Amino acid sequence: MKKIFQMMAFAAIALFTVTACGDDDDNSSSSSSGTGADAPVLTPAPYKDQAVDIDITSANTTDSQYSRLKKLTLTESGAYMMGFEEAAKSRNFTRANSALEYLFGKYTYSNGVYSFDNGLKISFTANGNNYIIKATLPNGVVIELTGTKATSNSIPTGTMTSNLCSRAWTISALRVRIIDKGGAVGALNIEGSVDLAKVKSWAESNNKHISDDIKTNTIVKGIIFSSFGLFAINYENRKSDVGTWNWSDMNAGVLGYRWNDPSAGLSVLTGNATVTFSNNPATCKLTLKGKIDNDEMEFVFTLN
């Protein structure tokens, strides 16, 4: 399948488990990790009370970028996702889960003002499910947006959701194994920055063809989930990937995800993931499995 490596790289979700800390073969008891009602409570999200998901209905501006803004999501972990209508030959936005192009980054909040890392500042007033948004663009121009509360992909509340969305999960190490019918036939370990170009080179040295054009220093920086149903995979020098997710069975820690990128020649991708949490959130693991050709590959990320 063309672009198969994209599917595994951005999804970090094909089938993953956030488990207790320790070596790769750590087997934690139910007293130290769990799902549903047994899940430990991780550090609260810094912006839980400020998180919001808004569908933009109008933009009082002629700005070529912000006149196309259709979606504004502020996550509890301090990340923003802004969805824009696609522009011809756009090169500045993320690959997305729909026809929208997403701009992704971090924000801080103080005294009613959200300050974005791209220089944008916004504040808003709410009347029920309706919002009036005042935005000061990086060039100092002030514009006004209106919007409504998004309800299309509501995520059930609970400890599992709070834990998953409490932080932007950064990646510090990676272990990859190629598994065939006879067991593992190769393994790669990367400490520090996870460079997808190294993974591609190693996989191809094990006779696995990866058609995705991955350049050197394509670094996976982290993964973020929003309680409004979006997830994003962030890279150092490559556009982020944004998709949607929801719990299939929250008590069992099973979630489903969906991602689509027509420009990459991929149809809609869906999958399931199983999540458990450790009492020690400082360093946890995320394990995913995917296939290249007919051989299974297993990825184990160390998360900080």
Side-chain angles (χ1 to χ4, degrees), residues 151-167:
T151 58
S152 58
N153 195 27
S154 179
I155 303 296
T157 59
T159 300
M160 291 295 293
T161 299
S162 296
N163 284 350
L164 189 63
C165 303
S166 66
R167 68 190 62 207

Side-chain angles (χ1 to χ4, degrees), residues 237-255:
N237 62 350
R238 174 176 173 154
K239 293 179 180 180
S240 301
D241 295 308
V242 177
T244 57
W245 74 279
N246 208 329
W247 293 113
S248 301
D249 185 343
M250 187 167 63
N251 285 333
V254 179
L255 63 83

Side-chain angles (χ1 to χ4, degrees), residues 1 54 62 67 69 88 127 136 145 148 157 169-171 177 180 191 194 201 204 214 221 226 238 263 277 280 283 289:
M1 178 180 178
I54 302 173
T62 58
S67 63
L69 184 62
N127 181 10
T136 303
L145 310 165
T148 59
T157 59
W169 298 94
T170 58
I171 297 174
R177 291 193 303 163
D180 62 13
E191 297 294 332
V194 177
S201 176
E204 291 183 341
I214 302 172
K221 294 182 66 176
S226 163
R238 174 176 173 154
S263 66
F277 295 98
N280 181 359
T283 305
K289 292 182 180 179

Side-chain angles (χ1 to χ4, degrees), residues 13-290:
I13 294 174
L15 182 60
F16 73 74
T17 307
V18 180
T19 63
C21 310
D23 61 36
D24 291 334
D25 296 320
D26 179 39
N27 294 312
S28 300
S29 67
S30 59
S31 63
S32 62
S33 64
T35 60
D38 296 327
V41 179
L42 301 187
T43 304
Y47 297 112
K48 183 177 181 180
D49 295 336
Q50 286 75 43
V52 66
D53 190 30
I54 302 173
D55 290 328
I56 304 300
T57 54
S58 68
N60 182 21
T61 179
T62 58
D63 182 89
S64 60
Q65 177 175 331
Y66 289 94
S67 63
R68 299 184 289 110
L69 184 62
K70 295 298 179 183
K71 183 81 167 177
L72 174 63
T73 303
L74 303 173
T75 75
E76 42 275 83
S77 62
Y80 65 80
M81 302 179 198
M82 292 191 289
F84 297 81
E85 286 184 330
E86 289 183 287
K89 298 181 181 180
S90 173
R91 296 179 182 272
N92 299 318
F93 299 91
T94 182
R95 297 175 297 198
N97 66 297
S98 66
L100 297 181
E101 300 171 311
Y102 277 83
L103 186 63
F104 174 85
K106 297 179 181 180
Y107 74 85
T108 58
Y109 175 83
S110 178
N111 297 322
V113 177
Y114 297 82
S115 299
F116 291 22
D117 59 5
N118 67 348
L120 180 71
K121 294 182 182 293
I122 68 169
S123 61
F124 53 79
T125 57
N127 181 10
N129 291 331
N130 299 313
Y131 293 85
I132 298 177
I133 304 167
K134 179 182 178 181
T136 303
L137 304 185
N139 61 7
V141 174
V142 178
I143 65 174
E144 185 176 284
L145 310 165
T146 59
T148 59
K149 181 179 180 181
T151 58
S152 58
N153 195 27
S154 179
I155 303 296
T157 59
T159 300
M160 291 295 293
T161 299
S162 296
N163 284 350
L164 189 63
C165 303
S166 66
R167 68 190 62 207
W169 298 94
T170 58
I171 297 174
S172 60
L174 170 68
R175 183 192 73 184
V176 188
R177 291 193 303 163
I178 294 178
I179 305 171
D180 62 13
K181 294 180 181 179
V185 298
L188 170 71
N189 291 284
I190 301 175
E191 297 294 332
S193 298
V194 177
D195 189 344
L196 296 186
K198 293 181 180 179
V199 178
K200 177 179 179 177
S201 176
W202 170 80
E204 291 183 341
S205 70
N206 283 272
N207 300 316
K208 306 302 172 188
H209 176 66
I210 298 177
S211 59
D212 192 7
D213 181 19
I214 302 172
K215 298 179 180 179
T216 302
N217 295 323
T218 300
I219 308 299
V220 183
K221 294 182 66 176
I223 302 164
I224 188 169
F225 291 86
S226 163
S227 62
F228 305 113
L230 291 178
F231 71 86
I233 311 303
N234 195 21
Y235 306 94
E236 187 169 293
N237 62 350
R238 174 176 173 154
K239 293 179 180 180
S240 301
D241 295 308
V242 177
T244 57
W245 74 279
N246 208 329
W247 293 113
S248 301
D249 185 343
M250 187 167 63
N251 285 333
V254 179
L255 63 83
Y257 70 89
R258 177 185 177 95
W259 188 84
N260 185 32
D261 180 12
S263 66
L266 289 172
S267 60
V268 173
L269 301 174
T270 60
N272 291 310
T274 303
V275 188
T276 61
F277 295 98
S278 165
N279 271 323
N280 181 359
T283 305
C284 296
K285 290 183 296 187
L286 178 152
T287 301
L288 68 97
K289 292 182 180 179

